[in-house]
Amino acid sequence: MSNSTSDSAPKNLYHYDPNANVALGAAALFGLSSIVHLVVMVKKRTFFYTAMTVGAFMMTGGYAARYLSAKSPHKIMLYVAQSLLILLPPSLYAATIYMIYGRIVLLVNSPKASVIRPTRVTKIFVIGDILAFFIQSAGGGMMAQEGKAELGKTVLLTGLAVQLIFFGFFLIIAVVFDRRMTQSPMRHIIPKYGKHSWRKLLVLLLCAAVIIVVRCLYRIAEYVLGTDGYLLQHEWCAYAGDTIPMLVVQVAFHVIHAGDVFPKPGEEKETDESYIGLTERA
């Protein structure tokens, strides 16, 4: 289908000819990653990965919907479905990142090294994440309604801004914690329970957070520039600015998994009693 259609032809809701095969390939990759996340989560009993796993399956559904939408680019329900299912999952990835950070602080038994206490970090940032999720959902839904597109765009941008603010604050907290722990003599006596160290997992959280922040900035730029902007006029931008970064985040959490860092039930009892019973608090 060409970009220019006659008045009688159904309107292409995209500003280009969407590639169905690329969308199908993305759905397959995200789907495979989602299944691995689910299996590993159950096997290692790391149920704080639930939010990320749900987000992974949502992303899979998003690209499956995009494949169908590319076949029928005039159908608004398919267009809205793929848009929302691809837009929202990073908020769920973020929830898992916040929960892992809190557990790292407990693992190293250094709550004072964190600007905010680990239990409060999880509550504050997850609440902020949920807020951003629902604001973005509302904005995306309003954009699909006739006469509410501009209001929906404003609401959606607000949700992205909320997500960006909370993630930026989290990055500051995590970097400060890492610097304090690097300078602490305690770093030499922290036991290693699995094949990865706690700091390697923390570095993963920082890298993932930076990637999601960049993706969030891309999304903000996309909506600010509008339908006449370069980003919404070219499909490759969506895959480069959103698809690939989010796939990298999902796969990175396979390579370094929290289940290979935190102690299994009962394992921490074999070490120094000064360490917090992480499994009892998880």
Side-chain angles (χ1 to χ4, degrees), residues 123-248:
K123 291 176 183 177
I124 291 172
F125 286 100
V126 170
I127 289 173
D129 209 47
I130 292 172
L131 179 63
F133 180 92
F134 282 111
I135 293 175
Q136 290 178 61
S137 298
M142 291 169 68
M143 287 182 70
Q145 299 176 37
E146 188 175 354
K148 292 186 177 181
E150 281 303 313
L151 177 59
K153 175 182 171 180
T154 301
V155 172
L156 194 150
L157 283 170
T158 301
L160 287 170
V162 170
Q163 185 182 57
L164 187 62
I165 290 169
F166 274 91
F167 242 123
F169 189 32
F170 169 75
L171 273 172
I172 293 172
I173 290 173
V175 168
V176 169
F177 174 77
D178 182 53
R179 288 176 63 89
R180 288 178 177 177
M181 288 304 301
T182 300
Q183 298 167 3
S184 171
M186 279 194 65
R187 70 184 189 280
H188 299 297
I189 63 170
I190 299 170
K192 185 178 179 181
Y193 295 98
K195 61 182 179 180
H196 300 303
S197 67
W198 66 270
R199 190 168 188 276
K200 188 177 289 187
L201 182 60
L202 180 63
V203 170
L204 169 63
L205 299 188
L206 290 169
C207 291
V210 169
I211 292 173
I212 294 176
V213 164
V214 172
R215 179 264 185 188
C216 190
L217 290 171
Y218 162 77
R219 280 293 193 169
I220 290 174
E222 184 182 58
Y223 286 108
V224 168
L225 292 175
T227 56
D228 294 327
Y230 185 88
L231 298 180
L232 281 176
Q233 293 279 347
H234 298 81
E235 187 174 32
W236 73 265
C237 295
Y239 285 100
D242 196 337
T243 310
I244 294 174
M246 293 304 94
L247 184 61
V248 167

Side-chain angles (χ1 to χ4, degrees), residues 259-278:
D260 296 321
V261 175
F262 299 134
K264 297 176 178 62
E267 187 175 358
E268 75 277 6
K269 296 177 182 177
E270 300 173 3
T271 61
D272 193 321
E273 290 181 359
S274 66
Y275 280 88
I276 293 173
L278 187 69

Side-chain angles (χ1 to χ4, degrees), residues 10-118:
K11 180 184 177 182
N12 183 349
L13 296 171
Y14 298 87
H15 302 281
Y16 46 76
D17 292 327
N19 191 315
N21 292 329
V22 175
L24 185 61
L29 291 173
F30 277 105
L32 178 61
S33 173
S34 302
I35 293 170
V36 173
H37 267 300
L38 178 62
V39 171
V40 174
M41 179 183 71
V42 173
K43 182 179 179 181
K44 295 182 182 293
R45 299 183 64 79
T46 49
F47 296 112
F48 47 88
Y49 270 77
T50 299
M52 176 171 285
T53 304
V54 171
F57 276 105
M58 283 180 64
M59 195 72 85
T60 303
Y63 284 101
R66 187 177 178 88
Y67 168 77
L68 296 175
S69 180
K71 294 287 188 178
S72 303
H74 60 283
K75 292 186 177 180
I76 191 167
M77 290 305 295
L78 287 174
Y79 179 82
V80 172
Q82 64 85 31
S83 180
L84 286 177
L85 289 172
I86 292 172
L87 174 68
L88 298 175
S91 291
L92 297 174
Y93 299 166
T96 292
I97 288 173
Y98 299 146
M99 287 187 275
I100 291 176
Y101 170 79
R103 284 165 170 77
I104 288 176
V105 177
L106 292 177
L107 175 68
V108 301
N109 199 17
S110 299
K112 291 183 178 179
S114 181
V115 176
I116 300 177
R117 290 168 57 180

Side-chain angles (χ1 to χ4, degrees), residues 244-255:
I244 294 174
M246 293 304 94
L247 184 61
V248 167
V249 168
Q250 275 195 206
V251 173
F253 277 88
H254 294 311
V255 178

